[in-house]
Structure formats: C-alpha cells, structure tokens
Amino acid sequence: MIKRATFVDGKKVPVKITVQERMRHSAAMADACRSKLQWKHLTPVAREMYEDSLLRHTQDWIRFKKQADQEK
C-alpha cells in the first residue's frame, strides 16, 4: 500500500493515501511510460520494461477505479 508521511509533534506518522490519489498516480505513471515508448532510440530491453510498466500501471488504474466506484 502506498503511504505518505506526515509529522505530528516531530514524529513521523504514516497517512493512508485515498483511492483517488492512487488512481491519479497510476494514470500519471502510465502516461509517463506511454510517452517514453514514443522515443525512437530505446533499446529492446528498455522498450519491454516500459511496455510492462504501462500494462501494470493501467491495470492498477482499472483496479483503483473499480474500488472508487464501489465506495460511491
């Protein structure tokens, strides 16, 4: 689970990130992978890595979208 840290009285306290924030993060990461795949000079290994990452982030976004729809 993705968490972000905040500080209360000088102590680090983890805070849960909402489903909507996770959706936005997955969408941004998928968009970044999609733009990298546009590059002509990628090695085959790098291209495969970005394709796998794009697939994973897209699947994450779909999963988070379903969670968000169920919470409504």
Side-chain angles (χ1 to χ4, degrees):
M1 172 175 281
I2 302 170
K3 293 188 178 186
R4 74 176 160 235
T6 60
F7 293 89
V8 175
D9 296 329
K11 294 181 181 177
K12 192 173 178 181
V13 179
V15 177
K16 283 188 177 181
I17 293 181
T18 66
V19 175
Q20 288 78 14
E21 289 174 312
R22 287 192 254 171
M23 278 177 53
R24 280 193 295 271
H25 178 72
S26 293
M29 295 303 292
D31 189 48
C33 292
R34 199 174 299 110
S35 69
K36 297 280 186 182
L37 286 169
Q38 305 278 329
W39 293 2
K40 303 280 187 231
H41 65 280
L42 285 178
T43 64
V45 172
R47 183 166 299 283
E48 182 180 351
M49 180 194 70
Y50 284 120
E51 287 171 351
D52 291 346
S53 292
L54 175 61
L55 177 63
R56 190 178 73 249
H57 291 301
T58 304
Q59 289 171 340
D60 287 346
W61 184 87
I62 292 168
R63 186 168 35 103
F64 296 141
K65 175 73 172 141
K66 287 179 183 176
Q67 285 179 9
D69 290 346
Q70 287 175 355
E71 288 179 0
K72 287 183 180 179

